[in-house]
Amino acid sequence: MSEQSEKNKPVLTKKLDKFLTGLANAFRFVKRFFQEVWLPPYEFKEILRQCYEIGYRSLPLISLTGFIVGIVFTNQSRPSLTEFGATSWLPALISIAIIRAMGPLVTALIAAGKVGSSIGAEIGSMKVTEQIDAMEVSAINPFKYLVVSRTIATTLMIPILVLYTDFVALIGSFINVNQNELVSLSSFFVQVFEAISFLDVFSSLIKSLVFGFTIGIVGCYKGYNSSNGTEGVGKAANASVVMSMFLIFIEELLALQIVNAIRYA
Amino acid sequence: MHREEEKVVEIRGVKKSFDENHVLRGVDLDLHKGENLVVLGKSGTGKSVLIKLMVGLLKQDEGSITILGKNTDNLKLKELNKLRLKIGFAFQASALYDSMTVRENLEFPLVRNVKNLSRKEINKKVEGLLDSVGLPKTINQMPAELSGGQKKRIGIARTLILEPEIMLYDEPTAGLDPTTCIDINNLINQVKEEYNTSSIVITHDLTCAKVTGDRMAVLIDGQFQAVGPFEEVFAQATNPRIKSFYDYNFIQ
C-alpha cells in the first residue's frame, strides 16, 4: 500500500522529497564530521599527505591564475582612475580588491575545480570499487580516514593558498603598475599596506577557512554517496565542483554582509 | 556430521528487500567450524547481500544473524568492529586500495588494528603472506600493475593478515580464466588448511563449488532450496531449477 502511494506521488512532490532527503543527509554528514573530528585516532599522516596533495600540487595553477588576475585587474582599473587623474591610487585599489574579495574567491573557485573534483572522483571511485567497504570490514573507520582528513586538509590549506594568491596577484599588479606608472616596489607595497586593515586580512582568512571546509566536505559528501558505477564517479566529481562553487558564492555574499556590518558599526 | 555447538554462523529467517525487490525471503543457514560452505545461485539472487549482512555492511529487514556466538542485530559499532576482525571478507573485485602499494595494502589493516608491532614483525607478516599466496615479487607494485588473478590473491592475503576465524569469499573466480580459477580454488582450500578457517564461498561457478565446498547451499528466489554435499544437492536433485543450474554449468 505504501509502495503504491509512493508511486502515485506527483513528480513535484517526489522532487521535493528527494531534495529534502538530500538536505537531511548532507546535514547528517556535516554533523558526523564535527563529531568525529575530535575523536582519536587522529590521522596526522593522512592529513599531511592530503595537505601536500591539495596545497603544494595546486601551486602552479594558483600562481598562474593569481598573477594573471593581478595584471588584468590592474589594467582594467586604470582607465577609470585615469579619468579622475587618480592612477596613483591603483596600488590601494588593487590591494583592497585582491585581499578582500578577488584572492579568496579566485583561489576557492580554482580549488573547487581542481581539488573538489579530485576528492569527489577519488572517494567516489573508492565507493564504487568497494574500497570503502573493505575499510569498514577491516574495522577501519573510512569516514575518519577519508572524509575528516581531506576536509581538515582543505580547511587548512585554502587560507595558505589565499595568502599566496594575494601575494602573487600583487606582484602581477606591481609589474603592470611599475611599467606604466614607474612606481617602485617599496612605494607600491607601502601603499598596499596603508590601504588594507587588520579586518581585511582577518576576514579574508576566516572566509578562506569556510571556503576550504566547503570544498572538502562537499567533495567528500558527493564522493561518499556516489553510486551507479563509473557514471556515478563522473557525476560525483561534477556535482562536487558545481555545489562547491555555488556555496562559495553564497558564503562570499554572507561574509560581505557580516564584514560590512562590523566595519561600519 | 557436525555437532550443534560447532556452529560459527547461524542465520535465521533473514529477509532483505531493496524497495520492491525482495532479495532474501526468510533465509536459514548454518556454517560449521572448519567447513567450506558454498552458496550457489544465479546472479542477482542475493548471495553477496547475504555475506554483506553478516559483516554489517547492510542491515537485514527481519531475522537474526549470530556469528561466533554473537548476535549481530543490535551490536554497537565498537563490538561490531571487534567481530569484524574475526571475519575476513574477500571482495569480488578485490577492492585493493588504488593509492597504496601491495605492501601498504597488506599493512594497512594490520597497523590500524594491532598496536605496538615493530617494523620487523610487520614486514615478516606481510612477506610471509605474500609468499603463501605465491606473489612475493609484487610487494612494491601498485594494484593497477597486477592482473585480475593477482589482485584476487592479494585481496585474500590482505584479509588473512588479521588471522580471521571465518572467511567470506565473494565470487572468487568471477572474471578469471580457467587456469587462474584453479589457482584460486586451490588457494581457498590452502587457506582452510593453513589458517584453520571456516568459510562461506559465494559463487555461481560449479567447478569452484565442487573443488572448494564441503557443503552446498543453493539460493533460488530468495530462499535456500537445497543444502548438503555436492553429490546430494546436484546428482540427486529433483528440483528442475537446481538440475538446470547444474546442467548449464557442466554442459558449458
Side-chain angles (χ1 to χ4, degrees):
Chain A
M1 191 65 190
S2 62
E3 279 167 5
Q4 195 62 33
S5 62
E6 188 69 29
K7 257 185 177 178
N8 295 336
K9 274 183 183 173
V11 179
L12 196 66
T13 316
K14 277 185 190 169
K15 282 193 173 175
L16 189 67
D17 267 5
K18 202 178 161 192
F19 172 74
L20 291 174
T21 312
L23 207 63
N25 287 340
F27 177 75
R28 271 198 290 271
F29 195 81
V30 175
K31 189 179 153 204
R32 188 174 171 193
F33 170 83
F34 283 109
Q35 283 170 337
E36 298 217 5
V37 72
W38 315 110
L39 303 172
Y42 305 108
E43 306 284 354
F44 292 121
K45 202 175 159 193
E46 183 61 11
I47 291 171
L48 275 178
R49 195 177 76 85
Q50 289 303 325
C51 283
Y52 173 79
E53 291 288 330
I54 291 160
Y56 184 72
R57 295 255 170 120
S58 302
L59 280 181
L61 189 60
I62 294 280
S63 304
L64 186 68
T65 319
F67 190 71
I68 291 171
V69 164
I71 292 176
V72 170
F73 196 68
T74 311
N75 238 350
Q76 297 290 359
S77 307
R78 184 173 288 109
S80 306
L81 291 180
T82 309
E83 273 186 39
F84 299 100
T87 47
S88 61
W89 286 5
L90 260 175
L93 175 78
I94 299 300
S95 65
I96 288 172
I98 285 174
I99 306 281
R100 286 187 190 173
M102 299 291 280
L105 207 53
V106 166
T107 311
L109 293 178
I110 295 285
K114 188 181 182 299
V115 178
S117 63
S118 115
I119 291 176
E122 188 188 8
I123 297 184
S125 128
M126 290 185 79
K127 171 86 176 175
V128 300
T129 55
E130 296 181 312
Q131 292 174 51
I132 292 181
D133 286 347
M135 281 188 195
E136 263 187 67
V137 298
S138 306
I140 297 162
N141 182 348
F143 191 92
K144 188 95 188 173
Y145 185 77
L146 299 172
V147 176
V148 174
S149 62
R150 279 161 180 74
T151 308
I152 288 178
T154 52
T155 309
L156 293 177
M157 291 318 289
I158 298 300
I160 295 171
L161 286 175
V162 165
L163 286 178
Y164 176 75
T165 310
D166 290 347
F167 175 73
V168 173
L170 287 173
I171 293 291
S173 175
F174 162 72
I175 290 171
N176 193 289
V177 171
N178 177 259
Q179 279 183 344
N180 291 282
E181 279 83 26
L182 303 174
V183 174
S184 71
L185 183 70
S186 58
S187 100
F188 178 86
F189 275 99
V190 165
Q191 286 188 62
V192 163
F193 286 114
E194 275 175 1
I196 55 173
S197 64
F198 172 75
L199 182 65
D200 291 329
V201 179
F202 183 73
S203 63
S204 160
L205 287 180
I206 297 293
K207 195 163 64 177
S208 311
L209 279 173
V210 177
F211 289 164
F213 174 77
T214 305
I215 293 164
I217 203 84
V218 169
C220 290
Y221 174 73
K222 291 293 178 187
Y224 214 79
N225 290 291
S226 67
S227 55
N228 300 332
T230 44
E231 190 197 351
V233 177
K235 278 185 181 171
N238 182 263
S240 304
V241 179
V242 174
M243 183 58 76
S244 299
M245 287 186 173
F246 173 72
L247 289 174
I248 284 166
F249 280 115
I250 302 276
E251 286 161 2
E252 172 67 30
L253 208 62
L254 286 173
L256 179 71
Q257 301 303 319
I258 294 168
V259 173
N260 277 350
I262 296 169
R263 196 188 307 276
Y264 304 115
Chain B
M1 201 64 189
H2 297 278
R3 294 198 309 275
E4 193 67 19
E5 65 267 24
E6 288 179 317
K7 285 175 189 168
V8 287
V9 175
E10 279 184 81
I11 298 171
R12 294 287 175 269
V14 164
K15 291 183 183 176
K16 179 71 187 169
S17 302
F18 297 95
D19 297 324
E20 290 164 53
N21 183 15
H22 306 291
V23 180
L24 299 176
R25 301 163 184 249
V27 165
D28 296 320
L29 192 69
D30 293 330
L31 174 69
H32 300 108
K33 192 170 172 59
E35 79 165 337
N36 273 3
L37 172 69
V38 176
V39 174
L40 283 153
K42 288 195 293 183
S43 299
T45 49
K47 306 184 298 292
S48 300
V49 170
L50 183 69
I51 53 171
K52 284 183 178 174
L53 292 173
M54 288 171 61
V55 288
L57 286 177
L58 295 171
K59 188 103 183 118
Q60 68 265 31
D61 302 329
E62 278 180 48
S64 73
I65 298 174
T66 307
I67 298 174
L68 299 167
K70 285 215 162 175
N71 190 317
T72 62
D73 302 352
N74 295 310
L75 277 186
K76 286 188 177 157
L77 186 63
K78 207 173 174 181
E79 289 169 324
L80 180 63
N81 279 340
K82 266 188 189 171
L83 189 62
R84 280 170 168 169
L85 295 178
K86 296 175 184 169
I87 307 169
F89 196 119
F91 286 85
Q92 183 174 353
S94 310
L96 297 180
Y97 307 122
D98 291 332
S99 58
M100 300 182 192
T101 63
V102 168
R103 177 196 290 279
E104 289 163 343
N105 260 283
L106 265 69
E107 279 178 10
F108 190 57
L110 187 67
V111 295
R112 292 291 160 144
N113 292 298
V114 186
K115 302 292 169 204
N116 305 322
L117 275 178
S118 68
R119 172 47 49 193
K120 206 175 164 187
E121 286 171 309
I122 296 170
N123 286 346
K124 194 180 164 196
K125 204 148 192 188
V126 169
E127 285 159 15
L129 267 169
L130 285 177
D131 270 343
S132 76
V133 297
L135 294 170
K137 287 181 183 167
T138 59
I139 192 158
N140 292 317
Q141 283 182 272
M142 299 300 285
E145 297 170 298
L146 304 173
S147 69
Q150 286 176 323
K151 281 183 189 173
K152 295 257 183 188
R153 284 167 168 269
I154 303 292
I156 292 171
R158 187 178 65 185
T159 64
L160 289 171
I161 201 135
L162 292 170
E163 296 172 9
E165 292 175 39
I166 298 168
M167 280 293 292
L168 306 174
Y169 299 93
D170 191 3
E171 303 277 8
T173 56
L176 300 178
D177 64 85
T179 319
T180 314
C181 285
I182 294 170
D183 292 343
I184 295 291
N185 293 339
N186 292 339
L187 180 62
I188 292 171
N189 287 332
Q190 180 195 329
V191 166
K192 181 189 162 190
E193 297 304 321
E194 276 182 32
Y195 296 90
N196 205 18
T197 54
S198 317
S199 314
I200 294 181
V201 182
I202 301 293
T203 187
H204 54 251
D205 171 6
L206 274 189
T207 311
C208 169
K210 195 173 182 182
V211 174
T212 61
D214 299 314
R215 282 194 308 146
M216 315 288 129
V218 187
L219 191 60
I220 296 173
D221 291 337
Q223 282 182 322
F224 285 113
Q225 302 289 340
V227 180
F230 188 86
E231 295 302 323
E232 200 178 287
V233 169
F234 289 104
Q236 299 153 25
T238 49
N239 184 329
R241 296 180 74 179
I242 297 175
K243 267 183 93 72
S244 73
F245 189 78
Y246 177 83
D247 292 342
Y248 177 75
N249 261 268
F250 282 104
I251 288 167
Q252 268 200 324

